[in-house]
């Protein structure tokens, strides 16, 4: 591993990571600031919620109650919002630092050095991983602070695990961005493919709550394996996390093979 | 001794276009080799194949005697490369960019870079994105030279440089070769070949049309001669002399072009009341156009 390359990639990603991280922290902080009000009006909310269509509740992982902190956090934070941001980081950075760099033309400058293509790709992937961990840590930090300040009443370890799992959830999507970028050199495709995959697998996971025939297909959804909501409730799925890590590993290996073989594009 | 650069039937196809066809090239240590050709001839393709940015369709590249396909990392350790479509990290200053690239080579010594930047009159404290085109190019040149590589692969190094900077660049190239280094560069500016190249290869449509020393190319080139006589003369006399062509007569003046030995032509002219003769030094432009013409007449 080349320290210079990792540092360079981290520096390139920095602005994006900070922006995504701030959006996440600020929004979650706002959501948490509202929590006491929600809790105190829980009865009214409960009524309101029961009137929501099932599809909507499935979509946001609303488990019938906002009255306890875990139900609130899993719906408000881990239902959609946190996955959206970590996926944004993973897909955005992975596509930018590979296909994006190739499109910008600077890949020639980089790869003309005595570094192998494999090293370039793995170092850049590592930088994206660091970004994800940073964002997940920021998420955990704001949740832990909220836990103490507004009394979410969630075991801190569950908040930390759920936050880290959200980063793990993002790995296969980031790796898919790397693979498509390595195959095509196109940043557009490197973004579109994982975004498309995310939309489809998210719908499969959430709609399976409503349509029984979809349930068997959930095994194809990373969102199912991440089980973020259940992790907040103290039921993290270790096997699911391994499935995600394994999938990301395979996609990354394929990305390396593709990148090693391809002609690099010029501007 | 192994040549520093050797290509064997190197071929690169993109779909139906053949960018490079059966290129056999050898460049030895201490040599400055110029790759000359019009737009789209395959110069950039050749140089990017050498540094393993793209892969041959067939054939192979050997640098320092080793097949690049086997281990291009080792080869690139000894190579400095200036891309033809130079792109820099716009947010980095020149100094930071050089430091980054030097770091990737474990080459901590930036004195060569700073000295060359000074020679080229390049301000290393400005961000690359703020630099003018020519100054960006200078930065590209400096990063290629900075680790004093055994082989310099420069894709149109003089492009965008002002005449002063071009002169410094050419001097630096010569010094590099005089110190035992090897240079392979491309250009469509012919005077550049005359100034720095030991040998020139002319690429046309992906084929290496000719490789020779600059001096030999000039010796075999068409030379333009103009004779002035004391009385009008007949063009036919000149047309019959071997090697002479394009004879034009206007009054007492005869202009023609001749390839190779001019002795017979001059003797014939002397017998006709010759007053004056002028000879233009053939420049590579003529040589170059001559090859292009030959190829085109061959095609049609
Ligand atoms: N990625 C590519 N895909 C398709 N064709 C390509 C590609 N790269 C180069 N070519 C074609 O290969 C031929 C050689 O291109 P190359 O860039 O090597 O020319 P060049 O001699 O460097 O030209 P210039 O003087 O304009 O820089 C051209 O016909 C070009 O269109
Ligand atoms: Mg070119």
């Amino acid at each position: 591993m080349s320290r210079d390359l990792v540092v360079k990639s981290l520096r390139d990603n920095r602005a994006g990571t900070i922006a995504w991280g701030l959006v996440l922290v600020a929004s979650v902080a706002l959501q948490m600031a509202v929590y006491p009000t929600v809790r105190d009006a829980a009865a009214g909310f409960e009524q309101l919620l029961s009137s929501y269509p099932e599809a909507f509740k499935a979509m946001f992982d609303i488990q019938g109650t906002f009255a306890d902190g875990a139900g609130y956090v899993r719906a408000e934070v881990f239902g959609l919002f946190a996955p959206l941001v970590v996926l944004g980081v993973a897909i955005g950075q992975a596509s930018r630092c590979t296909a994006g760099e190739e499109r910008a033309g600077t890949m020639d400058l980089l790869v003309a050095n005595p570094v192998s293509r494999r090293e370039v790709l793995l170092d850049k992937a590592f930088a994206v991983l660091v970004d994800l961990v940073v964002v997940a840590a920021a998420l955990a930090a704001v949740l832990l602070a909220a836990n103490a300040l507004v009394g979410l009443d969630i075991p801190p370890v569950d908040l930390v695990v759920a936050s880290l799992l959200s980063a793990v959830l993002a790995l296969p999507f980031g790796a898919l961005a790397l693979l498509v970028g390595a195959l095509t050199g196109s940043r557009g495709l490197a973004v579109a493919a994982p975004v498309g995959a995310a939309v489809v697998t998210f719908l499969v996971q959430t709609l399976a709550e409503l349509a029984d025939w979809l349930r068997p297909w959930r095994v194809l959804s990373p969102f199912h394996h991440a089980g973020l909501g259940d992790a907040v409730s103290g039921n993290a799925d270790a096997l699911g996390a391994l499935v995600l890590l394994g999938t990301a590993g395979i996609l990354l290996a394929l990305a390396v093979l593709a990148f090693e073989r391809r002609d690099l594009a010029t501007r | 001794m192994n040549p520093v650069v050797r290509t064997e039937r190197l071929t690169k196809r993109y779909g139906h276009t053949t960018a490079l066809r059966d290129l056999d090239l050898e460049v030895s240590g201490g040599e400055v080799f110029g790759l000359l050709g019009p737009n789209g001839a395959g110069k950039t393709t050749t140089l990017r194949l050498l540094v393993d940015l793209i892969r041959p369709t067939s054939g192979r590249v050997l640098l320092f005697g080793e097949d690049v396909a086997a281990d291009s990392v080792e080869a690139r350790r000894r190579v400095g490369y200036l891309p033809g479509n130079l792109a820099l990290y716009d947010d980095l200053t020149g100094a930071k960019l050089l430091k980054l690239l030097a770091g990737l080579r474990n080459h901590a010594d930036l004195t060569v870079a700073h000295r060359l930047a000074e020679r080229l009159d390049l301000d290393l404290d400005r961000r690359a994105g703020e630099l003018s085109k020519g100054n960006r190019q200078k930065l590209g040149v400096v990063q290629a030279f900075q680790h004093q590589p055994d082989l310099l692969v420069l894709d149109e190094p003089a492009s965008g440089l002002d005449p002063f900077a071009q002169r410094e660049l050419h001097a630096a190239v010569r010094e590099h070769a005089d110190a035992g280094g090897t240079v392979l560069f491309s250009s469509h500016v012919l005077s550049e070949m005359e100034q720095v190249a030991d040998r020139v290869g002319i690429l046309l449509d992906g084929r290496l049309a000719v490789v020779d020393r600059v001096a030999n190319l000039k010796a075999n080139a068409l030379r333009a001669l103009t004779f002035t006589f004391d009385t009008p003369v007949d063009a036919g006399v000149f047309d019959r002399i071997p090697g002479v062509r394009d004879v034009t007569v206007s009054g007492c003046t005869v202009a023609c072009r001749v390839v190779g030995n001019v002795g017979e032509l001059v003797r014939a002219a002397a017998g006709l009341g010759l007053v004056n003769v002028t000879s233009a030094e053939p420049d590579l432009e003529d040589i170059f156009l001559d090859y292009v013409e030959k190829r085109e007449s061959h095609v049609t």
Side-chain angles (χ1 to χ4, degrees), chain B residues 14 17-19 37-46 155-156 188:
Chain B
Y14 292 105
T17 46
T18 303
N39 293 131
K43 303 181 296 294
T44 296
T45 301
T46 304
D155 197 351
E156 295 185 34
H188 20 74

Side-chain angles (χ1 to χ4, degrees), chain B residues 1-4 28-29:
Chain B
M1 200 181 76
N2 278 327
V4 171
S28 40

